[in-house]
Amino acid sequence: MSSGLASAVQFAGSLPGSILLTLGQTVVVVCACSDMVRMMSVPRSHGRYVANTVFRTLVPLAILTTALRALLDAASGVWPNVTAGMFVLVVLTYRWRTDTDEDSWWKGKGKALGRWLRKQAAPRGVAAPAAGLARVALPLSVVEEPGQVLGRQCAA
């Protein structure tokens, strides 16, 4: 076992590691329960909408937690737990990727989030100066001819 995995297994055995793994397993259980409610609910009902939204929100975290737990079990050599963890991982991934349910808060949010991100990343326009301000002598521009500059200075 590599030193990185050994320290990860050691951290998982400590109190903070156990608390984090317990919270991760709680997310997996909530995800499984919301999936069960989603399957048993009437289509287009509020309960199904809420359960599907909870499932779609928590399933990436549940998959990550289950994979991490299976990796830690494999590093520890607890093979029955590795088998069970991989089964849960496959079931979560399968349910997440194959369901085509349309009742979810996330439906259509990809385009809306993309638009919002583009709007936030767009450069802000510089406001034009007020028309009532006094004229300021402008420096010589590279593209202006000297005659144009002289004409502008005379007009000012």
Side-chain angles (χ1 to χ4, degrees):
M1 175 181 348
S2 71
S3 62
L5 279 178
S7 62
V9 169
Q10 186 178 4
F11 176 73
S14 68
L15 181 63
S18 296
I19 290 172
L20 285 174
L21 288 174
T22 302
L23 288 174
Q25 289 303 111
T26 304
V27 169
V28 172
V29 169
V30 168
C31 199
C33 290
S34 66
D35 188 37
M36 185 178 64
V37 168
R38 181 176 69 143
M39 287 174 46
M40 303 301 282
S41 297
V42 176
R44 306 207 193 317
S45 66
H46 181 69
R48 185 179 184 110
Y49 175 82
V50 170
N52 195 19
T53 300
V54 168
F55 179 77
R56 293 256 176 228
T57 304
L58 293 181
V59 77
L61 183 59
I63 289 172
L64 183 67
T65 301
T66 306
L68 179 66
R69 185 71 217 180
L71 178 67
L72 290 174
D73 288 337
S76 300
V78 186
W79 301 112
N81 289 356
V82 173
T83 306
M86 292 309 293
F87 175 76
V88 171
L89 184 65
V90 167
V91 168
L92 283 172
T93 306
Y94 177 77
R95 291 292 301 147
W96 184 39
R97 299 307 296 163
T98 60
D99 189 38
T100 58
D101 196 358
E102 72 282 346
D103 295 334
S104 173
W105 182 84
W106 292 105
K107 176 74 176 177
K109 294 298 182 202
K111 289 182 182 176
L113 287 173
R115 263 187 264 119
W116 181 81
L117 280 174
R118 278 193 304 276
K119 184 176 148 191
Q120 296 301 318
R124 302 275 194 260
V126 178
L133 292 178
R135 291 186 159 231
V136 179
L138 298 175
L140 178 63
S141 172
V142 177
V143 280
E144 290 179 325
E145 294 292 326
Q148 292 174 338
V149 174
L150 290 175
R152 188 177 62 202
Q153 287 176 351
C154 293

